[in-house]
Amino acid sequence: MARVKRAVHAKKHHRAILEQAQGYYGNKSRSFRAANEQVMHSLQYAYRDRRARKGDFRQLWIQRINAACRVHGMSYSRFIAGLREAGVEVDRKVLADMAVRDPAAFAALVRVASASPVAPEVASS
């Protein structure tokens, strides 16, 4: 069998990992072994957090919607239930944006949700 010399590909691989590790603290940007370990962890964190970000944003939107609902004397859960009952299909991202940028339109949605039989005791504002 022919002899295989591996230095060229190994050096290329090491260089690629060390380039990915630029900016890391201490040995993690200089030594291949430490850099390789840190790059692998970093890629795992990035993969995990791309998925976690979706939940984080949903949580933020719900907090914003809830705060805007409370201003109009309604709870978040009654608001969402009222919208569902009224047949209004607006996602939480758009609702949160409305709550921040267009309070008048959001107030109209609160009125629509409060007219629903699910949300009876709402103080009118």
Side-chain angles (χ1 to χ4, degrees), residues 71-85:
V71 169
H72 296 287
M74 184 180 247
S75 72
Y76 167 80
S77 61
R78 289 193 182 278
F79 175 67
I80 293 295
L83 287 181
R84 186 163 293 141
E85 193 72 23

Side-chain angles (χ1 to χ4, degrees), residues 86-104:
V88 177
E89 291 184 22
V90 183
D91 64 356
R92 286 161 181 80
K93 180 179 179 179
V94 172
L95 284 172
D97 193 52
M98 276 176 127
V100 173
R101 295 175 193 265
D102 194 359

Side-chain angles (χ1 to χ4, degrees), residues 43-78:
L43 292 171
Q44 286 176 332
Y45 297 147
Y47 181 85
R48 176 196 69 195
D49 292 338
R50 276 195 300 275
R51 279 136 192 85
R53 184 189 316 138
K54 289 148 185 68
D56 292 343
F57 269 104
R58 183 182 170 94
Q59 198 173 15
L60 174 68
W61 298 331
I62 288 172
Q63 287 174 351
R64 287 180 176 174
I65 295 166
N66 189 24
C69 286
R70 299 285 177 177
V71 169
H72 296 287
M74 184 180 247
S75 72
Y76 167 80
S77 61
R78 289 193 182 278

Side-chain angles (χ1 to χ4, degrees), residues 5-22:
K5 296 174 75 175
R6 304 187 325 182
V8 176
H9 287 298
K11 191 167 179 92
K12 182 179 177 184
H13 176 64
H14 284 207
R15 192 179 341 105
I17 293 293
L18 287 170
E19 281 175 9
Q20 278 186 298
Q22 277 186 343

